[in-house]
PDB file of all heavy atoms in Angstrom:
ATOM      1  N   GLN N 435      26.722  91.952  -9.691  1.00  0.00           N
ATOM      2  CA  GLN N 435      26.979  90.531  -9.448  1.00  0.00           C
ATOM      3  C   GLN N 435      25.965  89.972  -8.457  1.00  0.00           C
ATOM      4  O   GLN N 435      25.419  88.881  -8.660  1.00  0.00           O
ATOM      5  CB  GLN N 435      28.395  90.336  -8.922  1.00  0.00           C
ATOM      6  CG  GLN N 435      28.739  88.891  -8.576  1.00  0.00           C
ATOM      7  CD  GLN N 435      28.763  87.991  -9.795  1.00  0.00           C
ATOM      8  OE1 GLN N 435      29.428  88.281 -10.782  1.00  0.00           O
ATOM      9  NE2 GLN N 435      28.028  86.896  -9.738  1.00  0.00           N
ATOM     10  N   LYS N 436      25.705  90.699  -7.402  1.00  0.00           N
ATOM     11  CA  LYS N 436      24.743  90.242  -6.401  1.00  0.00           C
ATOM     12  C   LYS N 436      23.346  90.136  -7.009  1.00  0.00           C
ATOM     13  O   LYS N 436      22.591  89.196  -6.703  1.00  0.00           O
ATOM     14  CB  LYS N 436      24.737  91.201  -5.205  1.00  0.00           C
ATOM     15  CG  LYS N 436      26.079  91.311  -4.482  1.00  0.00           C
ATOM     16  CD  LYS N 436      25.992  92.294  -3.336  1.00  0.00           C
ATOM     17  CE  LYS N 436      27.320  92.412  -2.593  1.00  0.00           C
ATOM     18  NZ  LYS N 436      28.380  93.038  -3.415  1.00  0.00           N
ATOM     19  N   GLU N 437      22.982  91.096  -7.850  1.00  0.00           N
ATOM     20  CA  GLU N 437      21.673  91.048  -8.500  1.00  0.00           C
ATOM     21  C   GLU N 437      21.562  89.850  -9.434  1.00  0.00           C
ATOM     22  O   GLU N 437      20.520  89.175  -9.477  1.00  0.00           O
ATOM     23  CB  GLU N 437      21.421  92.348  -9.262  1.00  0.00           C
ATOM     24  CG  GLU N 437      21.268  93.556  -8.365  1.00  0.00           C
ATOM     25  CD  GLU N 437      21.251  94.876  -9.135  1.00  0.00           C
ATOM     26  OE1 GLU N 437      21.546  94.861 -10.346  1.00  0.00           O
ATOM     27  OE2 GLU N 437      20.973  95.913  -8.516  1.00  0.00           O
ATOM     28  N   ALA N 438      22.623  89.587 -10.201  1.00  0.00           N
ATOM     29  CA  ALA N 438      22.611  88.450 -11.125  1.00  0.00           C
ATOM     30  C   ALA N 438      22.454  87.143 -10.359  1.00  0.00           C
ATOM     31  O   ALA N 438      21.710  86.242 -10.787  1.00  0.00           O
ATOM     32  CB  ALA N 438      23.896  88.438 -11.957  1.00  0.00           C
ATOM     33  N   VAL N 439      23.134  87.022  -9.224  1.00  0.00           N
ATOM     34  CA  VAL N 439      23.006  85.814  -8.407  1.00  0.00           C
ATOM     35  C   VAL N 439      21.585  85.669  -7.898  1.00  0.00           C
ATOM     36  O   VAL N 439      20.996  84.583  -7.937  1.00  0.00           O
ATOM     37  CB  VAL N 439      24.010  85.860  -7.243  1.00  0.00           C
ATOM     38  CG1 VAL N 439      23.730  84.726  -6.257  1.00  0.00           C
ATOM     39  CG2 VAL N 439      25.435  85.763  -7.762  1.00  0.00           C
ATOM     40  N   ARG N 440      21.000  86.759  -7.424  1.00  0.00           N
ATOM     41  CA  ARG N 440      19.632  86.714  -6.903  1.00  0.00           C
ATOM     42  C   ARG N 440      18.649  86.271  -7.989  1.00  0.00           C
ATOM     43  O   ARG N 440      17.716  85.503  -7.725  1.00  0.00           O
ATOM     44  CB  ARG N 440      19.240  88.087  -6.367  1.00  0.00           C
ATOM     45  CG  ARG N 440      17.765  88.226  -5.979  1.00  0.00           C
ATOM     46  CD  ARG N 440      17.400  87.415  -4.757  1.00  0.00           C
ATOM     47  NE  ARG N 440      18.086  87.890  -3.575  1.00  0.00           N
ATOM     48  CZ  ARG N 440      17.640  88.876  -2.806  1.00  0.00           C
ATOM     49  NH1 ARG N 440      16.509  89.518  -3.110  1.00  0.00           N
ATOM     50  NH2 ARG N 440      18.306  89.228  -1.722  1.00  0.00           N
ATOM     51  N   LEU N 441      18.873  86.748  -9.210  1.00  0.00           N
ATOM     52  CA  LEU N 441      17.975  86.424 -10.316  1.00  0.00           C
ATOM     53  C   LEU N 441      18.362  85.134 -11.029  1.00  0.00           C
ATOM     54  O   LEU N 441      17.689  84.733 -11.979  1.00  0.00           O
ATOM     55  CB  LEU N 441      17.970  87.589 -11.321  1.00  0.00           C
ATOM     56  CG  LEU N 441      17.433  88.923 -10.781  1.00  0.00           C
ATOM     57  CD1 LEU N 441      17.643  90.020 -11.806  1.00  0.00           C
ATOM     58  CD2 LEU N 441      15.957  88.799 -10.423  1.00  0.00           C
ATOM     59  N   LYS N 442      19.472  84.505 -10.592  1.00  0.00           N
ATOM     60  CA  LYS N 442      19.964  83.253 -11.199  1.00  0.00           C
ATOM     61  C   LYS N 442      20.210  83.430 -12.696  1.00  0.00           C
ATOM     62  O   LYS N 442      19.787  82.620 -13.523  1.00  0.00           O
ATOM     63  CB  LYS N 442      18.992  82.102 -10.926  1.00  0.00           C
ATOM     64  CG  LYS N 442      18.806  81.796  -9.455  1.00  0.00           C
ATOM     65  CD  LYS N 442      17.910  80.592  -9.252  1.00  0.00           C
ATOM     66  CE  LYS N 442      17.683  80.337  -7.759  1.00  0.00           C
ATOM     67  NZ  LYS N 442      18.937  80.062  -7.027  1.00  0.00           N
ATOM     68  N   ARG N 443      20.893  84.521 -13.018  1.00  0.00           N
ATOM     69  CA  ARG N 443      21.223  84.816 -14.411  1.00  0.00           C
ATOM     70  C   ARG N 443      22.730  85.023 -14.562  1.00  0.00           C
ATOM     71  O   ARG N 443      23.391  85.505 -13.630  1.00  0.00           O
ATOM     72  CB  ARG N 443      20.492  86.077 -14.882  1.00  0.00           C
ATOM     73  CG  ARG N 443      18.992  85.917 -15.032  1.00  0.00           C
ATOM     74  CD  ARG N 443      18.398  87.150 -15.673  1.00  0.00           C
ATOM     75  NE  ARG N 443      19.033  87.452 -16.963  1.00  0.00           N
ATOM     76  CZ  ARG N 443      18.828  88.595 -17.634  1.00  0.00           C
ATOM     77  NH1 ARG N 443      18.027  89.520 -17.137  1.00  0.00           N
ATOM     78  NH2 ARG N 443      19.431  88.793 -18.788  1.00  0.00           N
ATOM     79  N   PRO N 444      23.298  84.684 -15.714  1.00  0.00           N
ATOM     80  CA  PRO N 444      24.719  84.976 -15.947  1.00  0.00           C
ATOM     81  C   PRO N 444      24.971  86.477 -15.884  1.00  0.00           C
ATOM     82  O   PRO N 444      24.219  87.267 -16.468  1.00  0.00           O
ATOM     83  CB  PRO N 444      24.961  84.429 -17.362  1.00  0.00           C
ATOM     84  CG  PRO N 444      23.874  83.436 -17.595  1.00  0.00           C
ATOM     85  CD  PRO N 444      22.687  83.961 -16.848  1.00  0.00           C
ATOM     86  N   LEU N 445      26.022  86.873 -15.198  1.00  0.00           N
ATOM     87  CA  LEU N 445      26.345  88.295 -15.054  1.00  0.00           C
ATOM     88  C   LEU N 445      26.495  88.978 -16.401  1.00  0.00           C
ATOM     89  O   LEU N 445      26.005  90.088 -16.600  1.00  0.00           O
ATOM     90  CB  LEU N 445      27.644  88.444 -14.258  1.00  0.00           C
ATOM     91  CG  LEU N 445      28.264  89.850 -14.243  1.00  0.00           C
ATOM     92  CD1 LEU N 445      27.372  90.827 -13.484  1.00  0.00           C
ATOM     93  CD2 LEU N 445      29.669  89.819 -13.643  1.00  0.00           C
ATOM     94  N   LEU N 446      27.171  88.334 -17.352  1.00  0.00           N
ATOM     95  CA  LEU N 446      27.505  89.001 -18.611  1.00  0.00           C
ATOM     96  C   LEU N 446      26.312  89.162 -19.537  1.00  0.00           C
ATOM     97  O   LEU N 446      26.398  89.901 -20.510  1.00  0.00           O
ATOM     98  CB  LEU N 446      28.645  88.268 -19.328  1.00  0.00           C
ATOM     99  CG  LEU N 446      30.042  88.771 -18.931  1.00  0.00           C
ATOM    100  CD1 LEU N 446      30.348  88.468 -17.483  1.00  0.00           C
ATOM    101  CD2 LEU N 446      31.112  88.193 -19.839  1.00  0.00           C
ATOM    102  N   SER N 447      25.209  88.493 -19.258  1.00  0.00           N
ATOM    103  CA  SER N 447      23.988  88.770 -20.011  1.00  0.00           C
ATOM    104  C   SER N 447      23.046  89.662 -19.203  1.00  0.00           C
ATOM    105  O   SER N 447      22.299  90.456 -19.770  1.00  0.00           O
ATOM    106  CB  SER N 447      23.276  87.471 -20.403  1.00  0.00           C
ATOM    107  OG  SER N 447      22.916  86.728 -19.263  1.00  0.00           O
ATOM    108  N   TYR N 448      23.114  89.568 -17.875  1.00  0.00           N
ATOM    109  CA  TYR N 448      22.278  90.430 -17.041  1.00  0.00           C
ATOM    110  C   TYR N 448      22.757  91.882 -17.087  1.00  0.00           C
ATOM    111  O   TYR N 448      21.955  92.813 -17.222  1.00  0.00           O
ATOM    112  CB  TYR N 448      22.287  89.929 -15.596  1.00  0.00           C
ATOM    113  CG  TYR N 448      21.648  90.896 -14.627  1.00  0.00           C
ATOM    114  CD1 TYR N 448      20.277  91.099 -14.626  1.00  0.00           C
ATOM    115  CD2 TYR N 448      22.437  91.640 -13.745  1.00  0.00           C
ATOM    116  CE1 TYR N 448      19.686  92.013 -13.757  1.00  0.00           C
ATOM    117  CE2 TYR N 448      21.859  92.550 -12.868  1.00  0.00           C
ATOM    118  CZ  TYR N 448      20.488  92.734 -12.879  1.00  0.00           C
ATOM    119  OH  TYR N 448      19.915  93.642 -12.029  1.00  0.00           O
ATOM    120  N   ALA N 449      24.062  92.093 -16.973  1.00  0.00           N
ATOM    121  CA  ALA N 449      24.630  93.453 -16.972  1.00  0.00           C
ATOM    122  C   ALA N 449      25.856  93.475 -17.868  1.00  0.00           C
ATOM    123  O   ALA N 449      26.993  93.592 -17.388  1.00  0.00           O
ATOM    124  CB  ALA N 449      24.981  93.875 -15.547  1.00  0.00           C
ATOM    125  N   PRO N 450      25.672  93.373 -19.193  1.00  0.00           N
ATOM    126  CA  PRO N 450      26.808  93.189 -20.112  1.00  0.00           C
ATOM    127  C   PRO N 450      27.766  94.363 -20.190  1.00  0.00           C
ATOM    128  O   PRO N 450      28.920  94.184 -20.594  1.00  0.00           O
ATOM    129  CB  PRO N 450      26.126  92.937 -21.462  1.00  0.00           C
ATOM    130  CG  PRO N 450      24.765  93.550 -21.331  1.00  0.00           C
ATOM    131  CD  PRO N 450      24.380  93.360 -19.901  1.00  0.00           C
ATOM    132  N   THR N 451      27.325  95.562 -19.822  1.00  0.00           N
ATOM    133  CA  THR N 451      28.215  96.721 -19.893  1.00  0.00           C
ATOM    134  C   THR N 451      28.684  97.186 -18.518  1.00  0.00           C
ATOM    135  O   THR N 451      29.306  98.236 -18.398  1.00  0.00           O
ATOM    136  CB  THR N 451      27.526  97.896 -20.618  1.00  0.00           C
ATOM    137  OG1 THR N 451      26.362  98.299 -19.881  1.00  0.00           O
ATOM    138  CG2 THR N 451      27.120  97.511 -22.025  1.00  0.00           C
ATOM    139  N   SER N 452      28.377  96.423 -17.479  1.00  0.00           N
ATOM    140  CA  SER N 452      28.794  96.812 -16.135  1.00  0.00           C
ATOM    141  C   SER N 452      30.315  96.719 -15.996  1.00  0.00           C
ATOM    142  O   SER N 452      30.987  96.023 -16.758  1.00  0.00           O
ATOM    143  CB  SER N 452      28.133  95.909 -15.092  1.00  0.00           C
ATOM    144  OG  SER N 452      28.603  94.578 -15.211  1.00  0.00           O
ATOM    145  N   GLN N 453      30.839  97.411 -15.019  1.00  0.00           N
ATOM    146  CA  GLN N 453      32.279  97.388 -14.791  1.00  0.00           C
ATOM    147  C   GLN N 453      32.758  95.979 -14.503  1.00  0.00           C
ATOM    148  O   GLN N 453      33.854  95.568 -14.921  1.00  0.00           O
ATOM    149  CB  GLN N 453      32.653  98.319 -13.640  1.00  0.00           C
ATOM    150  CG  GLN N 453      34.163  98.426 -13.420  1.00  0.00           C
ATOM    151  CD  GLN N 453      34.506  99.262 -12.207  1.00  0.00           C
ATOM    152  OE1 GLN N 453      33.644  99.911 -11.628  1.00  0.00           O
ATOM    153  NE2 GLN N 453      35.765  99.245 -11.813  1.00  0.00           N
ATOM    154  N   GLN N 454      31.953  95.200 -13.777  1.00  0.00           N
ATOM    155  CA  GLN N 454      32.345  93.822 -13.481  1.00  0.00           C
ATOM    156  C   GLN N 454      32.413  92.985 -14.752  1.00  0.00           C
ATOM    157  O   GLN N 454      33.339  92.189 -14.935  1.00  0.00           O
ATOM    158  CB  GLN N 454      31.358  93.211 -12.495  1.00  0.00           C
ATOM    159  CG  GLN N 454      31.506  93.754 -11.085  1.00  0.00           C
ATOM    160  CD  GLN N 454      30.337  93.361 -10.216  1.00  0.00           C
ATOM    161  OE1 GLN N 454      29.186  93.431 -10.616  1.00  0.00           O
ATOM    162  NE2 GLN N 454      30.635  92.937  -8.993  1.00  0.00           N
ATOM    163  N   ALA N 455      31.431  93.149 -15.652  1.00  0.00           N
ATOM    164  CA  ALA N 455      31.439  92.399 -16.906  1.00  0.00           C
ATOM    165  C   ALA N 455      32.641  92.777 -17.760  1.00  0.00           C
ATOM    166  O   ALA N 455      33.306  91.918 -18.351  1.00  0.00           O
ATOM    167  CB  ALA N 455      30.139  92.649 -17.678  1.00  0.00           C
ATOM    168  N   VAL N 456      32.939  94.068 -17.815  1.00  0.00           N
ATOM    169  CA  VAL N 456      34.105  94.541 -18.570  1.00  0.00           C
ATOM    170  C   VAL N 456      35.386  93.922 -18.005  1.00  0.00           C
ATOM    171  O   VAL N 456      36.276  93.490 -18.738  1.00  0.00           O
ATOM    172  CB  VAL N 456      34.168  96.078 -18.528  1.00  0.00           C
ATOM    173  CG1 VAL N 456      35.492  96.589 -19.080  1.00  0.00           C
ATOM    174  CG2 VAL N 456      33.003  96.681 -19.317  1.00  0.00           C
TER     175      VAL N 456
END
Side-chain angles (χ1 to χ4, degrees):
Q435 177 66 52
K436 299 179 180 67
E437 293 170 350
V439 171
R440 172 69 65 86
L441 297 173
K442 299 184 183 299
R443 290 188 56 190
L445 169 67
L446 270 66
S447 60
Y448 170 71
T451 62
S452 66
Q453 185 185 350
Q454 287 168 316
V456 170

